[in-house]
Amino acid sequence: NAGVMQNPRHLVRRRGQEARLRCSPMKGHSHVYWYRQLPEEGLKFMVYLQKENIIDESGMPKERFSAEFPKEGPSILRIQQVVRGDSAAYFCASSPPDGHYGYTFGSGTRLTVV
Amino acid sequence: DQQVKQNSPSLSVQEGRISILNCDYTNSMFDYFLWYKKYPAEGPTFLISISSIKDKNEDGRFTVFLNKSAKHLSLHIVPSQPGDSAVYFCAASALQGAQKLVFGQGTRLTINP
């Protein structure tokens, strides 16, 4: 029973490029969450999705960031025109339909913008 | 606006002794609290949680205490073991936004042999 799978583990992008981060939830989990951790800080909520629906995107920056969780396939966090300040660890978590008490995090994608 | 605060960035404890990690929160709407443990290059793993209707929850070597009037919670680990060396995050959620967790900055715990 695989856990939450995130890929790639490490991603290097030049300023202005696009970054795509993928997250496959645990089997049976239909809720996906994205969090960002800046250096020496805690995790900050970005977005909560269910299949084909964005439920809460209150933590998403207004521009350049988008997320989706299609009917088939992984959840994608997309960052357009990356800047140095986007360098961070991005963690995805999933939970079953009954709520976050079963939150399981993936190992994260470390994005470095050069 | 840091709603969940862990004021100690690091803590060093001798093996076998008790480790006490502290967390304060400001939002009175928070009613569910969790502790996560994180090793380098890994995601956080759930450790223990407590609902606001309780003031204590215990699981093996780990106990979480909640003082609602002081808006303070603590995690006790006893006895501390070298494998407990990690960064510990406390997190909180409110009934209304039950799916969203607010994390503290983390405390790096080092257990010395």
Side-chain angles (χ1 to χ4, degrees), chain B residues 48-88:
Chain B
I48 192 169
S49 63
I50 188 167
S51 164
S52 61
I53 62 174
K54 294 185 173 182
D55 56 15
K56 177 183 174 181
N57 189 25
E58 192 172 353
D59 183 2
R61 297 186 297 114
F62 302 92
T63 303
V64 56
F65 295 91
L66 175 62
N67 182 334
K68 284 180 62 180
S69 60
K71 294 191 176 66
H72 177 83
L73 65 154
S74 60
L75 174 68
H76 292 210
I77 306 172
V78 55
S80 299
Q81 300 174 353
D84 296 330
S85 296
V87 177
Y88 289 78

Side-chain angles (χ1 to χ4, degrees), chain B residues 85-96:
Chain B
S85 296
V87 177
Y88 289 78
F89 291 97
C90 73
S93 72
L95 183 63
Q96 291 286 339

